[in-house]
Amino acid sequence: MVRVVKVRLQTASSDAPRRGMVQMFVHVLKNDGFLGLYNGLSASLLRQLTYSTTRFGVYEELKETFSTAKTSPSFPSLIAMASTSGFLGGIAGNPADVLNVRMQHDAALPVADRRNYKNAIDGLIRMTREEGWQSLFRGVWPNSMRAVLMTASQLASYDGFKRVLLSNTSLEDDLTTHFTASFAAGFVATTVCSPVDVIKTRVMSAKESSSLVKLLGDIYKLEGVGWMFKGWVPSFIRLGPHTIATFLFLEQHKKIYRHMKGFDED
């Protein structure tokens, strides 16, 4: 729902009526109906299955590999691990991400230009048949860069904030600490990723291919530097709770897993 609003804000042309998050929400609801707020749901689920599982799985595996009983990876090492896992996740999730952007942006296009994918599977088949398999990796470099920034600013910053809280406050390794660290990580991730997120959305939703340099030049010429944080509020409203829920669940999952395996808590 919030992602649909964010994509519409990011893909709005410079000559379109200026709308904030609430106005865009009302516009989508009025023109596309309640279900229009859930355009691209199947593609979004496919994206999470490919992108999120890859980056979280690789990151945790790297952390475990380079940790010992007495030492943990340094913060720069965590950033490097998160960047690597984010890059791989960005590549794995790119086909679903292209579909997600297209399906959410479709209703904003003139009827003759709409793609009208029925669902994620139909979209994958049609993209491959009509545009070639290369279309599945359209925007893969800005998307992978966003995934690197997202994972580094989300996963590594969460671990960093958590360490600071445990070392410099009276908080213990509990839900309060997890909530505080994940809230801060969500804020950092949204801010760091906003410019690349806008670029990724523009590239994936475009009808014609153009170089990244030309795209940046055109955006700056028409919109100034404000384009960098276009859609920041809906992005944070989506990513903030998502980050909190993800890490709260992940911490409890690890706690249950360690208990079942008879491991000592870290």
Side-chain angles (χ1 to χ4, degrees):
M1 184 185 295
V2 178
R3 187 178 174 87
V4 171
V5 175
K6 183 204 72 168
V7 168
R8 293 291 187 87
L9 287 171
Q10 291 177 339
T11 55
S13 60
S14 59
D15 57 350
R18 294 183 64 85
R19 296 186 177 97
M21 186 190 71
V22 176
Q23 289 89 350
M24 183 60 77
F25 180 90
V26 173
H27 174 74
V28 173
L29 189 63
K30 181 179 179 181
N31 288 275
D32 305 328
F34 179 75
L35 293 180
L37 296 169
Y38 291 91
N39 283 338
L41 180 60
S42 61
S44 183
L45 292 173
L46 179 61
R47 177 179 178 272
Q48 293 302 324
L49 286 171
T50 51
Y51 164 66
S52 292
T53 53
T54 299
R55 68 190 187 107
F56 275 99
V58 173
Y59 180 69
E60 290 297 327
E61 188 66 29
L62 288 174
K63 271 205 313 181
E64 184 176 335
T65 300
F66 291 97
S67 296
T68 66
K70 295 183 179 180
T71 61
S72 298
S74 64
F75 186 65
S77 297
L78 290 176
I79 293 176
M81 294 176 192
S83 298
T84 301
S85 58
F87 181 77
L88 295 174
I91 294 175
N94 200 81
D97 220 348
V98 175
L99 280 172
N100 200 21
V101 169
R102 288 185 173 190
M103 292 175 74
Q104 291 172 347
H105 179 55
D106 214 34
L109 296 172
V111 176
D113 293 335
R114 294 178 185 177
R115 299 178 176 93
N116 295 317
Y117 298 143
K118 296 177 182 178
N119 51 55
I121 303 302
D122 176 63
L124 287 174
I125 294 172
R126 283 184 51 193
M127 282 177 63
T128 304
R129 184 174 64 234
E130 296 169 9
E131 304 174 50
W133 65 267
Q134 297 92 335
S135 65
L136 299 176
F137 294 94
R138 188 171 188 174
V140 67
W141 298 122
N143 191 35
S144 296
M145 182 55 65
R146 177 191 179 276
V148 167
L149 294 174
M150 173 64 74
T151 309
S153 59
Q154 193 179 46
L155 274 65
S157 69
Y158 171 78
D159 283 332
F161 283 127
K162 181 180 172 183
R163 287 182 183 180
V164 170
L165 290 170
L166 293 176
S167 301
N168 299 284
T169 70
S170 59
L171 293 175
E172 298 180 356
D173 193 359
D174 54 19
L175 284 174
T176 302
T177 300
H178 303 159
F179 178 88
T180 306
S182 59
F183 180 86
F187 184 88
V188 171
T190 304
T191 304
V192 169
C193 295
S194 184
V196 182
D197 197 26
V198 175
I199 295 171
K200 180 207 76 170
T201 302
R202 296 289 180 91
V203 170
M204 290 181 173
S205 63
K207 277 285 187 180
E208 299 178 357
S209 297
S210 61
S211 69
L212 190 58
V213 174
K214 183 179 184 302
L215 177 66
L216 286 172
D218 290 342
I219 294 175
Y220 179 76
K221 186 188 303 181
L222 294 171
E223 303 174 39
V225 296
W227 68 267
M228 297 176 66
F229 298 101
K230 207 168 186 179
W232 187 95
V233 173
S235 289
F236 180 70
I237 290 176
R238 182 187 72 87
L239 188 59
H242 175 271
T243 302
I244 293 170
T246 296
F247 284 114
L248 291 182
F249 175 82
L250 183 62
E251 292 284 5
Q252 295 306 306
H253 179 271
K254 290 194 292 187
K255 184 177 180 179
I256 294 171
Y257 178 79
R258 289 168 183 155
H259 178 74
M260 291 176 61
K261 293 294 184 179
F263 297 152
D264 293 331
E265 290 291 332
D266 291 338

